[in-house]
């Protein structure tokens, strides 16, 4: 035997269920071991670093599809994608954790996805970055640093945080141009030669690099500060590291704020 539920009752039940689910979605999961006594003293996830990538694909359309599905390593995303023509696409909210960085670290930050904004740049890794694209990226960086209070110096490359796995945004990326616009770090002129006993490995760590794989760390450093390949340090590298660490010993090695 079945009984029918009047239409008005069914509508009321559906509305009540929707309200309940909406409330759960807004408040998030609650621990059943504890009594819920809500506080208003909280805020959203606060990123403290911006990570730049290149897509290594053939078009914005292809990259948008990948960033909403998966690549060879699994599901992947980013907060933003900047096209060659300068058009900016947003795929994940700033307050949410995009899957763009993977395993790695930058200074004291070990869960980079949780502490960062990820920006993909439409580039195949072999060609120069167009002016319109970099100009648009600078506008986006200015917005993010001001609105989210991310220190402008905390703009890094994927290869900086994962030197043994990644090389993007590559040696062709114009880091000096970004620094001239106020973002990232760059060695000051006139710092001179490093003093006797200068330890370049400690300096690399002070900048933010992990030196567990020294050759890969040097390669990432070369890509960023010299636009070249190579896994061995030379005298010019030591001068650059001295300049970076003399001006601000830990300007790249930020840690997430509470």
């Amino acid at each position: 035997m079945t009984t029918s539920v009047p239409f008005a009752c069914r509508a009321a039940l559906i509305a009540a269920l929707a309200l309940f689910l909406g409330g759960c979605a807004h408040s998030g999961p609650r621990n059943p071991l504890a009594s819920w006594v809500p506080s208003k003293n909280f805020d959203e996830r606060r990123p403290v670093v911006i990570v730049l990538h290149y897509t290594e694909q053939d078009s914005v359309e292809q990259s948008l599809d990948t960033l909403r599905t998966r690549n060879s390593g699994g599901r992947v995303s980013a907060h933003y994608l900047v096209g060659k023509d300068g058009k900016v696409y947003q795929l994940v909210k700033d307050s949410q954790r995009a899957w763009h960085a993977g395993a790695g670290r930058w200074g004291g930050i070990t869960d980079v996805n949780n502490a960062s904004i990820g920006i993909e740049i439409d580039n195949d890794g072999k060609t120069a970055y167009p002016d319109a694209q970099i100009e648009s990226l600078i506008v986006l960086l200015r917005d993010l640093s001001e609105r989210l209070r991310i220190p402008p110096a905390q703009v890094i490359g994927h290869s900086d945080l994962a030197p043994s796995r990644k090389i993007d945004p590559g040696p062709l990326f114009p880091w000096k141009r970004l620094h001239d616009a106020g973002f990232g770090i760059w060695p000051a002129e006139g710092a001179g030669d490093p003093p006797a006993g200068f330890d370049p490995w400690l300096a690399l760590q002070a900048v933010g690099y992990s030196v567990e794989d020294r050759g890969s760390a040097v390669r990432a450093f070369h890509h960023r500060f010299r636009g070249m390949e190579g896994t061995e340090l030379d005298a010019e590298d030591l001068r650059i590291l001295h300049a970076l660490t003399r001006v601000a010993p830990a300007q790249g090695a930020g840690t997430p704020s509470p």
Side-chain angles (χ1 to χ4, degrees):
M1 179 179 178
T2 59
T3 57
S4 61
V5 179
F7 176 80
C9 293
R10 290 203 307 272
L13 286 171
I14 292 171
L17 179 61
L19 183 62
F20 172 76
L21 292 175
C24 289
H26 177 72
S27 61
R30 301 174 185 174
N31 192 332
L33 300 178
S35 297
W36 176 244
V37 186
S39 172
K40 296 180 179 179
N41 303 331
F42 69 94
D43 57 14
E44 298 285 346
R45 179 193 79 104
R46 184 175 296 169
V48 296
V49 64
I50 298 172
V51 181
L52 305 183
H53 309 252
Y54 62 42
T55 59
E56 204 173 6
Q57 294 192 311
D58 298 325
S59 67
V60 159
E61 292 75 22
Q62 183 183 7
S63 297
L64 285 172
D65 180 64
T66 299
L67 292 169
R68 290 180 292 171
T69 53
R70 60 190 299 121
N71 63 15
S72 59
R75 292 190 293 170
V76 64
S77 62
H79 294 89
Y80 297 92
L81 169 65
V82 182
K84 291 184 177 67
D85 59 359
K87 185 173 181 178
V88 177
Y89 305 82
Q90 184 170 9
L91 297 100
V92 177
K93 292 180 181 178
D94 296 336
S95 61
Q96 294 176 332
R97 187 178 188 272
W99 300 339
H100 65 96
R105 65 181 301 151
W106 181 246
I109 304 172
T110 55
D111 185 354
V112 181
N113 276 340
N114 195 52
S116 66
I117 294 290
I119 302 177
E120 289 278 357
I121 305 170
D122 181 26
N123 184 278
D124 61 8
K126 304 172 185 176
T127 56
Y129 293 80
D131 287 343
Q133 188 175 49
I134 298 303
E135 290 168 4
S136 182
L137 174 62
I138 289 170
V139 171
L140 178 59
L141 292 175
R142 187 170 294 117
D143 166 72
L144 292 171
S145 64
E146 292 176 357
R147 184 165 47 81
L148 302 180
R149 293 179 290 165
I150 299 174
Q154 288 282 67
V155 179
I156 66 172
H158 200 184
S159 59
D160 292 327
L161 71 94
S164 62
R165 296 190 304 111
K166 297 294 181 179
I167 62 171
D168 54 315
L172 296 177
F173 187 78
W175 285 106
K176 176 64 164 60
R177 180 173 174 184
L178 239 64
H179 181 262
D180 290 344
F183 301 100
I185 58 174
W186 197 257
E189 295 182 4
D193 293 331
F198 179 78
D199 188 331
W201 305 112
L202 288 178
L204 275 169
Q205 291 177 83
V207 172
Y209 290 97
S210 167
V211 295
E212 292 179 2
D213 181 339
R214 290 188 172 188
S216 295
V218 172
R219 181 185 62 188
F221 173 82
H222 280 165
H223 281 188
R224 177 154 181 180
F225 295 102
R226 300 186 67 182
M228 59 179 258
E229 299 291 341
T231 58
E232 299 289 336
L233 291 171
D234 62 20
E236 180 62 18
D237 294 326
L238 269 59
R239 283 189 285 270
I240 292 171
L241 284 166
H242 171 54
L244 288 171
T245 53
R246 186 182 73 94
V247 172
Q251 65 177 318
T255 55
S257 56

